[in-house]
Amino acid sequence: PPHHVYIGRNQMHDDRENAVDLKTIHDVVVSENEMFSYASSATSGGDAIVVGSNGFDDATNMGPRRIWILHNDVRDAARGIRVEGSEDVWIIGNLFTSVSQGIQIDDKTHRDIIIASNTLSEVSEGLNINGCQPSMLRFSNNIIVDATDRLIDLRECPASILNLESNLLWNSDGSFSVRADGTNHDDLASLEAQSFATGNLFGDPLFDGDGLIPSGSSPAIDAGASLESVYQHFQSTIGPVIAVDRARTPRPSGAAEDIGAFERPSL
């Protein structure tokens, strides 16, 4: 299959199906693209990015392996990303706005899925999974704001594969709904009492203007978990340094990483 592919700094929109659809391919970087205006049609669910639409089968070497989705701006779509079947996928530093579902994971074979330092605003659901077949699902340092349905829905995922850490969740009406391991949690304390959840916050991210960048008084500042192992893995296997935010501000720039797609520069 094709391998070592870079898709970067494009503007993609109104393409009838998807901006990027990765099938049988490996070692791919999809970075710093602008993607918008993807609606449901007879041949597409309106996903801006699809990973593994033919599924993943290790025995036949079919499906996507080692996919990095980095620092993209995705808006006005039915879904931001749908991961159908995959080996290892990293979704880091992306901005999702005005999408129905931010990130959806389908009920097909997966290995590790790491979703970190994204900002999702004006969504029906931030993260949704149908069934649950990943070997490991890590959801760290993400901001989800104003979800009209659930902030996170991992209803069928057992605690043994989950790691929900240092996410900032907020609905302007004060509602809270996260479903995981067969239980619906309607407040932060209930979620944080679970073995797979640690350091998550519920509060207004206090964005500085309309750019979804946290202000200096935001609870997102210096509240993130370390992603050093993820950055080191990319550098050792691909090469460039990705310990930066969308504006190329170094991560961390303070005592710890900021939560969300933007790192506020230290003074």
Side-chain angles (χ1 to χ4, degrees):
H3 58 87
H4 294 86
V5 175
Y6 168 66
I7 303 169
R9 300 188 181 184
N10 303 284
Q11 186 184 78
M12 308 175 184
H13 60 93
D14 301 282
D15 295 328
R16 184 170 174 265
E17 290 199 352
N18 319 108
V20 174
D21 185 354
L22 303 173
K23 298 182 186 293
T24 298
I25 192 168
H26 63 84
D27 297 287
V28 181
V29 175
V30 180
S31 177
E32 298 177 293
N33 300 282
E34 184 182 4
M35 308 173 187
F36 58 92
S37 296
Y38 290 92
S40 297
S41 69
T43 57
S44 172
D47 313 287
I49 302 172
V50 180
V51 178
S53 55
N54 289 343
F56 174 76
D57 188 338
D58 190 44
T60 59
N61 196 33
M62 295 293 289
R65 302 167 182 265
R66 298 180 296 278
I67 308 298
W68 296 82
I69 311 293
L70 308 173
H71 301 147
N72 298 281
D73 182 352
V74 181
R75 63 183 186 274
D76 300 322
R79 296 186 192 90
I81 297 180
R82 188 173 84 247
V83 184
E84 288 202 35
S86 61
E87 186 186 63
D88 295 330
V89 177
W90 295 262
I91 301 170
I92 300 175
N94 302 282
L95 187 63
F96 301 94
T97 55
S98 298
V99 296
S100 179
Q101 290 178 322
I103 301 169
Q104 177 176 311
I105 302 170
D106 283 359
D107 191 17
K108 296 182 180 179
T109 300
H110 305 274
R111 290 190 188 172
D112 292 352
I113 300 176
I114 297 91
I115 303 168
S117 298
N118 303 283
T119 295
L120 304 99
S121 176
E122 300 177 27
V123 297
S124 62
E125 289 182 316
L127 173 63
N128 175 279
I129 193 165
N130 293 322
C132 193
Q133 295 196 47
S135 300
M136 183 273 288
L137 175 57
R138 179 182 179 185
F139 193 73
S140 304
N141 296 5
N142 302 284
I143 294 176
I144 303 177
V145 178
D146 290 330
T148 57
D149 196 351
R150 287 186 173 85
L151 292 155
I152 300 171
D153 191 350
L154 305 173
R155 54 195 178 278
E156 297 178 57
C157 290
S160 59
I161 72 159
L162 291 177
N163 183 5
L164 272 62
E165 61 176 348
S166 302
N167 300 288
L168 177 57
L169 310 175
W170 176 245
N171 282 331
S172 300
D173 63 3
S175 63
F176 184 98
S177 182
V178 174
R179 187 160 61 169
D181 192 25
T183 301
N184 186 57
H185 305 283
D186 57 10
D187 59 60
L188 180 65
S190 174
L191 177 64
E192 285 290 283
Q194 309 307 305
S195 61
F196 55 83
T198 180
N200 297 289
L201 303 171
F202 184 67
D204 189 337
L206 300 175
F207 292 129
D208 192 358
D210 297 328
L212 300 181
I213 301 173
S215 66
S217 57
S218 169
I221 303 301
D222 295 343
S226 174
L227 298 176
E228 184 62 27
S229 62
V230 175
Y231 303 147
Q232 289 181 351
H233 182 67
F234 184 90
Q235 192 166 4
S236 65
T237 56
I238 305 295
V241 174
I242 61 166
V244 295
D245 74 351
R246 291 173 42 78
R248 299 191 179 275
T249 302
R251 286 193 184 271
S253 289
E257 292 203 26
D258 297 345
I259 300 174
F262 292 98
E263 179 84 7
R264 191 166 186 86
S266 58
L267 298 178

